[in-house]
Amino acid sequence: MSSAADSSDRLEKRLGLVDVYAIATGAMISSGFFLLPGIAAGRAGPAVVLAYILSSLLMLPGLFSIAELSSAMPRAAGTYFFIHRSLGPWAGTVGGFGDWLTLTFKSAFALVGMGAYLAIFVDVPIQPVAIALTVAFGALNIFGAKETARLQLVLVVTLVTIMAFYIGQGLVEVVGEGAVATVSGAFTPFLPFGIGALASTIGLVFISYAGLTKVAAAAEEIRDLDRNLPLGMLLALGTIAFIYAGGVFVMVSVLPAEELYEDLTPVATAGEEILSWLPGQTGLILVVIAAIAAFASTGNAGILTASRYPLAMARDRLTWSGFDQVGRFGTPTVGILATCVLMIISILFLDVEALASLGSAFLLLIFALVNMSVIIMRESRTASYAPAFRSPFYPWTQIIGVISTLGLIATLGPFSIVFVLVVVGIATAWYRIYARPRVENRGAIYTLFARLGERQDAGIDEELWSILQERGASEEDSFDELVARAQVIDLPGKADMTEVIGKVAGVMRSQLQRGMQDLDEAITASGVRAVVPENASAVVHDLFLEDLEHPEVVLVRAKRGVRIGGGRRFPGSSGEPEADENGNGARVHALVFLFSPEGRVTQHLRLLAQLVTMVEHEAFPEVWRRAHDDQELLETLLRDERYASIVVGSPGPPSKMVDKRLYELTFPGNTLVAMVRRGDRTIFPKGDTLLRAGDRLTVIGSPADVVTLQGDASRHATGGGSGDVSGGGSRDAAGDGAAGTEEA
């Protein structure tokens, strides 16, 4: 099965929760706080504080939608990828170009703003400084996302610390003696320009939070994505909402309305007022440092995320293939260079501030499309769509998100609407002239059309399936424990599917709360959708059962092979596996049956993908055939880096295990003794299981814990050889014997 892109071109997973938080936080706070509050207050009056709060709440639908789509499709240039795979290549072209241009222009504007704040104390030309900063941040991005994230963290910590001090001091100032009456007067009347003005101001300041989802463009590089992305974005939104609302409250409280409405640097002006007790210009210096950190973090994060859009579009042949090149540092070098060149051109020749504002109107359209993408992906019922994080209150969250963002575009005025239409028109022309002859129409929307009687796109199923296989089972899925407790049926003689299904059903009935007498028929019916991996003598059946408490696996080895009657290459595919001249299906020697509790679709698909990945390995058939017993059969499906075999009584630490019960022994981390092979019996041990000399233990755990286990044995070995504690690797050495076996 082909994947969407060669694995060698994938970006390394270097970013953790703190990095996600830093990128999302840094991408949000710059002009929206340091330049915009005065303009926004001129529209809404004191209600500008409420506008910032409501805007942060309206970000939640987009945040939840981005998190869900990212957990199912973690790819560079996240929003582009989501829109393309759900709404098709035309919408993907519009979204990709629009996002790339607007992020580039907003990043350029941030660096111009940084130069302007530097000019407060140092007489320097703004444009050359902005260009130099573009080159510096571009070089940093080329050297690696992790290095970029480290700088981002420093900038964000500096910014948040100063802003917390600023807001805290401001609140002390406004609640001091006699200040309450002053503040009350500053907020009266609260809505001097009416509700309509408040609505338009919400649309204006919404752009202040638009950078929140920029981090989704780096989803391919995030570790533990299902947890770190939504949590990091929520923490960032909470932090920035507090800074915006608290900071603007202070500005409205301490600055006269007429002065605030015309001030392009209200943070600095208010800072001089509330920090006047500091010696000299210390207060102003602190504000300038915070502003520089904010603009730098926005420019830096903008280059990081914007450069991923041409990379992703090149993978889909919507742009020049050179953008798909990943450099020696594991970053999209060509995309970064192109982004920096475009930023320099915009700094030199364009009204960057106007373009940044208009670009934000297009970002609102992107948010609407992202919310629509979740609806399309779910309603298309694409078989391989398995998000680990699911947006709450679907579909109302997405419906509110679509309506609110489109409505906010309308409040920004006709010029913004025209700009959005112009960008859409240019992207459409590019798609028709350049991209359309090179790409297939692919998207979940065509699968939705199939439900309505129109054409279907099986390509999106195949691509999502390849992503599932690439990601594999998560830690929460406990895949290795599932395999270790699997039931094994070994059939040495001739057998047919009826016999196999009867034996599997007999094993599974003992796991069900109710007997389910029609289980044989249910398993037989599942055969038409069983996965028959290409070039593998195996078939993987999957079935949901209501009375099951947790997933279970049954393995069947048919030494003389079994003819199967149906199947598919991957979930959602319509192609049938090869058949002989009589119409009989393939002959397989490995039959894997996965049973999951009803409703656990995401976990079920991840486990199914991991099982198929294991049997697709080129060495699997030989290792499976040569396995001597149940334990070795089970080990063929364990991931090599997650298990080790120990012979009790061997030199080193295993010698101290003889005649010990498991609860008396200490193993590294959270490793688990999953199986014990004693003579011709496989034992599934408990804490009080007594170990005997010659027992062979299969120990499973995280890769780090398994390495520690092997290292401890190596350090204490006294000539017992490498067989005392062995790791996985059976699929890399099929010719040397069965999986994980060793000489005692």
Side-chain angles (χ1 to χ4, degrees), residues 173-526:
E173 183 79 16
V174 300
V175 299
E177 183 178 354
V180 174
T182 303
V183 172
S184 177
F187 282 87
T188 304
F190 187 66
L191 282 169
F193 309 119
I195 294 293
L198 174 62
S200 66
T201 306
I202 293 172
L204 178 66
V205 302
F206 184 84
I207 65 176
S208 305
Y209 299 98
L212 172 65
T213 55
K214 283 183 183 180
V215 70
E220 194 173 321
E221 300 160 82
I222 298 173
R223 301 188 307 270
D224 194 8
L225 176 74
D226 305 338
R227 168 185 176 271
N228 289 339
L229 183 62
L231 180 57
M233 289 197 297
L234 279 171
L235 291 174
L237 179 60
T239 300
I240 296 303
F242 170 76
I243 290 176
Y244 279 165
V248 173
F249 175 82
V250 170
M251 295 177 217
V252 173
S253 299
V254 303
L255 296 179
E258 297 77 9
E259 182 179 348
L260 174 62
Y261 297 167
E262 298 180 359
D263 196 342
L264 292 179
T265 57
V267 179
T269 305
E272 289 184 287
E273 181 75 22
I274 63 177
L275 301 176
S276 59
W277 56 274
L278 293 174
Q281 291 186 306
T282 303
L284 180 60
I285 291 173
L286 285 175
V287 171
V288 171
I289 290 174
I292 290 174
F295 286 122
S297 64
T298 296
N300 183 46
I303 295 174
L304 171 69
T305 54
S307 61
R308 271 59 179 175
Y309 285 94
L311 166 72
M313 294 177 72
R315 287 176 176 173
D316 294 327
R317 294 185 292 180
L318 295 179
T319 56
W320 174 52
S321 60
F323 285 122
D324 192 20
Q325 301 301 315
V326 176
R328 58 177 293 194
F329 297 104
T331 55
T333 305
V334 179
I336 293 171
L337 292 175
T339 299
C340 291
V341 169
L342 186 58
M343 287 177 62
I344 292 172
I345 292 173
S346 65
I347 290 170
L348 289 174
F349 301 108
L350 302 177
D351 183 350
V352 182
E353 182 176 358
L355 284 172
S357 178
L358 293 173
S360 297
F362 196 90
L363 284 177
L364 287 168
L365 176 62
I366 296 297
F367 275 98
L369 293 175
V370 166
N371 282 299
M372 289 174 59
S373 295
V374 172
I375 296 175
I376 294 296
M377 293 304 299
R378 290 216 195 178
E379 296 307 314
S380 67
R381 299 178 187 173
T382 301
S384 299
Y385 181 64
F389 175 87
R390 288 185 174 266
S391 173
F393 308 114
Y394 172 86
W396 301 111
T397 299
Q398 284 64 42
I399 293 173
I400 292 172
V402 171
I403 294 174
S404 62
T405 50
L406 292 179
L408 288 174
I409 293 176
T411 66
L412 293 176
F415 190 50
S416 296
I417 297 174
V418 170
F419 172 74
V420 170
L421 295 176
V422 168
V423 175
V424 170
I426 294 174
T428 300
W430 174 270
Y431 170 71
R432 289 188 172 276
I433 296 171
Y434 177 86
R436 189 173 183 178
R438 294 172 169 82
V439 300
E440 299 178 3
N441 283 327
R442 170 172 291 187
I445 194 169
Y446 299 121
T447 305
L448 180 60
F449 289 162
R451 292 183 58 202
L452 302 176
E454 302 291 338
R455 59 178 174 164
Q456 180 177 1
D457 172 33
I460 186 65
D461 261 314
E462 183 174 8
E463 185 168 22
L464 291 178
W465 176 249
S466 70
I467 292 175
L468 275 174
Q469 287 195 284
E470 178 186 309
R471 296 190 69 191
S474 68
E475 295 292 340
E476 292 77 14
D477 295 328
S478 303
F479 174 80
D480 299 287
E481 293 181 35
L482 170 68
V483 171
R485 69 169 184 267
Q487 299 290 319
V488 176
I489 301 172
D490 210 350
L491 302 176
K494 292 183 63 176
D496 58 23
M497 279 303 297
T498 301
E499 179 184 355
V500 170
I501 290 173
K503 290 182 177 295
V504 172
V507 168
M508 284 305 301
R509 284 194 182 94
S510 64
Q511 304 289 330
L512 302 176
Q513 297 176 11
R514 297 194 301 270
M516 193 173 178
Q517 298 304 312
D518 59 348
L519 184 56
D520 301 63
E521 290 79 4
I523 298 175
T524 301
S526 72

